[in-house]
Amino acid sequence: MFRPIATATLVVLLAVCRADELGAASPGSPRQLTARIDDTPLFTIGDDPNEPLHRVIGAVFTDDALIIAEESTHSLRFYDRTTGQLIRAVGRKGEGPGDYGNLDLLQAVGDRLYTFDSWLMRVTIRNRVGEVERTVRIRPWGDYNTAEVEGFFPDGSMLVSASVFGWPDRPMIQRDERGLARYDAEGHFIGTLGTYLGYEYYSSPETKRIYPYRRQTFVVVVGEEYHIVDTKDPAIPAFDMAGKLVHELPPDVPIEPIRLTRAGRDSLPDLDGIDRDDLPRFYPFYVRSRAVGDALWVPHYGGLVPDGGSAWSVYSQEGELVGRVSASERLWVLAVDGNTVAVLRLDELGVQTVELRTIVES
């Protein structure tokens, strides 16, 4: 069965407290703890040339397995969490039940695995061993022509974002207005939850393009709430399942933006029809944030460790800052179970591996 992590407090406390002390911890007023991801991996997945990894989009833990979602093979890959050996893979490219056209999202809800396919506009629900139980089609509402599942709530209902795809009549830096809505577990529209602005990109009548240091927006479901993380806004609002603003997460970064270095400015591309003064001048505060169990892990853009390290602020479902985690190198946290963490690592050639490491007291 899946091992639920009740609050973000548990994610960090396991690194510094005995297991029998966890039940006494008060999630209402957790103390802020500092921890780090150990440098030595327990094992590595993807370093075998015969079993490489490419385009990993997420991972979850079960009692005996680490499940990695890999977009390139359109599959969920089950690995023994003690040895790292591949147990089985489910899913393939196609349109039949259990197949994927474009695997975009993996999330564990209770004892089920939920995935979303943006090409087939379909949610697939599997049991804990990867067998397909059912599939659900997702359709845009109103005048929107594209839709994407951002995450799933504990009752199986889902948060869906939608936008209108089109081509402008002149070159511009664009942010699409995206709508949010809640759908039930069967894919039926429940109601709208408002709008937000998506990420920046270059758009012209001929092409669409992204570029460094642009503003990005991530919608992340954590328990019965969702957060909208704007990478250039230090404040992170949290909303309930009805779209009501319930609190703002306390910023854990300096609220004054850092101006791009000359090298950073020089790395920006020349975009036809765009004045370079309209391109980014400041670094973002954050990068892609993830729901890990019932916690929100928010990576700092520059990290807190010199020479390319990483740093995360960890928030409980109640919106309280419960800990800070750092690493001595650039890593992406995919899944956490107690003091065990699955991280994505890219080498200097961009080759992906997933490592199991431990979270230890800093």
Side-chain angles (χ1 to χ4, degrees):
M1 62 184 296
F2 291 109
R3 293 182 177 180
I5 300 173
T7 67
T9 310
L10 301 187
V11 175
V12 181
L13 283 177
L14 271 172
V16 294
C17 299
R18 299 193 315 272
D20 59 355
E21 293 175 335
L22 296 180
S26 169
S29 56
R31 58 193 179 95
Q32 296 174 11
L33 297 170
T34 303
R36 64 179 176 83
I37 296 176
D38 193 70
D39 291 340
T40 304
L42 302 174
F43 59 76
T44 301
I45 297 171
D47 57 347
D48 182 348
N50 297 317
E51 291 287 347
L53 292 176
H54 184 50
R55 287 157 54 192
V56 171
I57 58 112
V60 297
F61 280 113
T62 70
D63 273 349
D64 56 4
L66 170 67
I67 306 169
I68 296 176
E70 191 182 31
E71 186 182 351
S72 64
T73 58
H74 311 278
S75 65
L76 305 184
R77 304 173 67 82
F78 290 67
Y79 294 88
D80 186 300
R81 61 180 290 170
T82 60
T83 66
Q85 295 298 308
L86 179 65
I87 303 170
R88 62 184 172 276
V90 298
R92 61 180 183 179
K93 184 172 180 59
E95 298 185 3
D99 296 342
Y100 297 103
N102 195 50
L103 178 59
D104 279 312
L105 174 69
L106 167 66
Q107 184 178 336
V109 181
D111 59 356
R112 297 293 182 268
L113 297 170
Y114 286 70
T115 57
F116 175 64
D117 183 330
S118 62
W119 182 258
L120 299 177
M121 301 291 291
R122 185 172 70 185
V123 171
T124 299
I125 300 97
R126 299 176 183 268
N127 63 18
R128 64 189 183 186
V129 297
E131 298 169 335
V132 175
E133 293 191 341
R134 59 192 176 92
T135 60
V136 174
R137 291 282 183 180
I138 303 298
R139 306 292 185 190
W141 71 95
D143 295 328
Y144 295 116
N145 56 21
T146 66
E148 180 176 352
V149 175
E150 302 289 351
F152 300 87
F153 296 110
D155 63 358
S157 64
M158 59 197 81
L159 182 66
V160 179
S161 67
S163 63
V164 177
F165 180 87
W167 296 93
D169 56 7
R170 58 182 177 82
M172 64 177 64
I173 300 298
Q174 189 166 337
R175 294 184 73 190
D176 295 330
E177 182 178 87
R178 300 188 65 90
L180 282 173
R182 187 171 163 227
Y183 284 53
D184 68 16
E186 301 302 322
H188 301 134
F189 176 82
I190 296 176
T192 60
L193 304 176
T195 61
Y196 71 100
L197 290 177
Y199 64 83
E200 291 177 335
Y201 62 97
Y202 170 73
S203 186
S204 75
E206 295 82 24
T207 186
K208 295 181 185 291
R209 184 176 176 185
I210 58 176
Y211 48 88
Y213 317 121
R214 69 193 186 282
R215 182 185 296 265
Q216 298 184 76
T217 312
F218 303 109
V219 180
V220 188
V221 175
V222 182
E224 295 185 346
E225 296 179 359
Y226 65 91
H227 303 75
I228 299 179
V229 182
D230 184 323
T231 60
K232 292 199 172 183
D233 187 341
I236 302 174
F239 304 84
D240 64 17
M241 294 167 62
K244 178 183 177 182
L245 177 66
V246 290
H247 51 249
E248 260 190 6
L249 306 189
D252 194 34
V253 293
I255 60 174
E256 292 298 324
I258 299 174
R259 186 174 291 275
L260 290 181
T261 62
R262 179 177 296 276
R265 289 284 292 171
D266 290 345
S267 70
L268 293 171
D270 290 321
L271 301 174
D272 291 342
I274 302 299
D275 191 306
R276 288 190 66 84
D277 287 341
D278 294 331
L279 295 176
R281 299 185 180 187
F282 299 93
Y283 290 103
F285 292 109
Y286 309 117
V287 289
R288 184 187 180 106
S289 304
R290 291 182 181 271
V292 183
D294 284 343
L296 176 68
W297 284 59
V298 182
H300 300 189
Y301 181 84
L304 294 178
V305 182
D307 302 321
S310 302
W312 297 263
S313 299
V314 183
Y315 296 89
S316 71
Q317 184 175 330
E318 293 74 26
E320 294 174 305
L321 177 67
V322 295
R324 300 177 180 90
V325 180
S326 62
S328 63
E329 58 187 305
R330 180 62 66 190
L331 301 172
W332 288 261
V333 168
L334 300 176
V336 174
D337 186 3
N339 66 340
T340 303
V341 57
V343 297
L344 178 66
R345 185 174 179 273
L346 275 68
D347 68 11
E348 61 277 5
L349 299 177
V351 176
Q352 294 186 345
T353 54
V354 172
E355 297 178 350
L356 250 65
R357 301 194 186 188
T358 53
I359 300 175
V360 298
E361 184 175 4
S362 180

